[in-house]
Amino acid sequence: MDLEIRHLRVVCAIADTGSISKAASRLGISQPSVTTLLQRVERMVGHQIFQRGRGGARSTTFGEQFLQRARLLVAEMDALRGNIAGPAGTIRFGSVHMECVSSLFQRLETSFPDISFSMCVEPSSLRLAQRLVHGDLDVAVLAIAESHQIPLPQELGERVLASAIPVYVAVSSAHRAAGLREIPLEGLKEEAWIRPPGGEDGSLSAFWQAARKAGFTPRIQFDVPSGGGRQLVGSGRAVQLVEPTSHGGPGVAVVPLAGEPLRMHLTLWWHRRRMSAEQADRLFEVILGTYSTFAMESPVFPAALVEAPISLSDGASRRRTALSSTSKHAPVRGGIDDRYPAEAAVRLSRSCASSYAAAGWGTSRLPIAARSV
């Protein structure tokens, strides 16, 4: 049997993540399958590539040499797939389901007139990550539970759009909690729940953990596509976890959870071979600007605003990319209004504080109305 590109991807994934289990998570296959493929490769080359132990997998001397060539071959194959997938002016964009997806697509087309975008909306960040790793997507916006991680190759660019975003709950407008400023999670223990989308991203396990901490076991009665549960919620049959910019809809109210027992990170990932650093900067601005605008327009998200100065240290972005850590990014054109005074000192919760700092916008981008909340 000859070596195939899938064998090389497995070896590279193990080296990148440092363990077989993490490599399996990245590749979207089972751990036994990764072990079997690695053993098959080692039999074919006649040498041990990794030393396995409790601390993980470390490459042998032969393994280091093998990895150097394997990475080159995988990179060349990815580049070839990228060229075959579409012309240089086409970007395949993936995103988790967000309220602002439609507006985001319009702004992308306006901000990049020379680029044609296609969009894939997928509730599972893990599936988006897999498609990104396999070269089926060029860019992806992922939402991952705060307690969870999805390991991705270091050659991908990454920037944090917002960290520690609180997760809210959607209830019927006739629900007793609909008029509350917030509701404790334990106050919903008798409700029927819609399964969180993208459960393999950690959202389901985080929900179970938060519910147990609140003293109950959630009754998950429905499993529906992302965005497809509004009728169940509006009719009072179920409640559902939602991202905080959700506007609910007819018959649906969105309510913050007291104490923020569930939070997520919103991150941008892209293939550097498909986008320049300048394009990635601009893309970051457009996405952040669109999300921030929807956050300000949400009937519940502004309740998280408090009067407090924020630190605009660039470290808040927690980036792991080749982008300059000292670079500043201009506010997105056509996004949040320029009328707001520079002396405004407002913090848009923990999540958007990181977002504004990462974008280098400063507090001048926040609305005057926020100071009165």
Side-chain angles (χ1 to χ4, degrees), residues 17-28:
T17 61
S19 78
I20 290 177
S21 61
K22 291 180 180 178
S25 177
R26 172 191 287 187
L27 296 169

Side-chain angles (χ1 to χ4, degrees), residues 196-256:
E200 61 269 40
D201 306 337
S203 58
L204 182 59
S205 61
F207 177 44
W208 278 100
Q209 183 177 358
R212 284 196 296 268
K213 189 175 180 180
F216 73 99
T217 299
R219 179 164 56 96
I220 300 177
Q221 190 172 352
F222 302 98
D223 189 351
V224 298
S226 180
R230 289 183 177 178
Q231 187 173 357
L232 286 169
V233 174
S235 66
R237 296 289 304 278
V239 297
Q240 182 178 26
L241 297 174
V242 295
E243 54 106 6
T245 64
S246 175
H247 292 186
V252 176
V254 177
V255 185

Side-chain angles (χ1 to χ4, degrees), residues 3-314:
L3 279 174
E4 300 176 17
I5 196 68
R6 64 191 179 99
H7 298 138
L8 303 184
R9 288 191 190 280
V10 166
V11 172
C12 291
I14 295 171
D16 290 341
T17 61
S19 78
I20 290 177
S21 61
K22 291 180 180 178
S25 177
R26 172 191 287 187
L27 296 169
I29 58 179
S30 68
Q31 185 172 333
S33 296
V34 172
T35 301
T36 299
L37 285 170
L38 174 60
Q39 292 172 345
R40 189 175 299 167
V41 172
E42 289 179 330
R43 284 198 302 270
M44 283 190 283
V45 299
H47 293 275
Q48 185 178 9
I49 299 175
F50 295 101
Q51 291 179 339
R52 276 90 79 185
R54 291 185 178 181
R58 298 181 60 183
S59 56
T60 62
T61 301
F62 172 82
E64 287 292 338
Q65 298 173 351
F66 183 88
L67 278 163
Q68 288 180 2
R69 299 195 176 189
R71 291 187 194 280
L72 288 174
L73 290 171
V74 170
E76 286 296 323
M77 180 58 69
D78 286 342
L80 176 62
R81 289 186 66 176
N83 291 334
I84 293 175
T90 300
I91 294 295
R92 297 160 297 169
F93 189 99
S95 175
V96 292
H97 179 80
M98 299 185 293
E99 196 80 23
C100 63
V101 164
S102 178
S103 294
L104 174 58
F105 189 77
Q106 293 176 1
R107 292 196 183 188
L108 288 173
E109 290 187 317
T110 301
S111 301
F112 296 89
D114 298 330
I115 294 178
S116 174
F117 284 89
S118 64
M119 179 171 281
C120 167
V121 180
E122 162 63 56
S124 169
S125 288
L126 181 59
R127 292 194 188 112
L128 286 171
Q130 290 167 356
R131 295 191 63 179
L132 194 64
V133 169
H134 295 158
D136 298 326
L137 291 174
D138 302 310
V139 182
V141 175
L142 310 183
I144 306 169
E146 190 177 43
S147 58
H148 196 70
Q149 289 185 342
I150 297 179
L152 287 168
Q154 293 186 355
E155 58 264 25
L156 292 177
E158 176 201 5
R159 293 193 65 182
V160 177
L161 288 158
S163 61
I165 301 175
V167 177
Y168 290 174
V169 63
V171 300
S172 167
S173 56
H175 193 281
R176 55 188 168 77
L180 300 179
R181 179 165 182 168
E182 60 182 21
I183 183 171
L185 185 59
E186 57 265 31
L188 300 166
K189 62 182 179 181
E190 302 298 332
E191 304 292 339
W193 288 84
I194 294 174
R195 179 186 175 92
E200 61 269 40
D201 306 337
S203 58
L204 182 59
S205 61
F207 177 44
W208 278 100
Q209 183 177 358
R212 284 196 296 268
K213 189 175 180 180
F216 73 99
T217 299
R219 179 164 56 96
I220 300 177
Q221 190 172 352
F222 302 98
D223 189 351
V224 298
S226 180
R230 289 183 177 178
Q231 187 173 357
L232 286 169
V233 174
S235 66
R237 296 289 304 278
V239 297
Q240 182 178 26
L241 297 174
V242 295
E243 54 106 6
T245 64
S246 175
H247 292 186
V252 176
V254 177
V255 185
L257 290 170
E260 298 182 3
L262 293 162
R263 292 183 295 206
M264 63 181 182
H265 298 311
L266 199 65
T267 57
L268 170 68
W269 295 80
W270 71 94
H271 279 286
R272 292 196 182 98
R273 60 180 171 78
R274 294 288 290 163
M275 297 198 76
S276 66
E278 292 76 15
Q279 287 176 322
D281 274 3
R282 181 62 179 153
L283 183 69
F284 175 84
E285 294 165 6
V286 173
I287 299 171
L288 179 58
T290 306
Y291 189 84
S292 300
T293 298
F294 267 73
M296 299 308 303
E297 293 174 351
S298 167
V300 291
F301 200 90
L305 295 172
V306 295
E307 288 190 28
I310 64 174
S311 170
L312 298 180
S313 63
D314 194 65

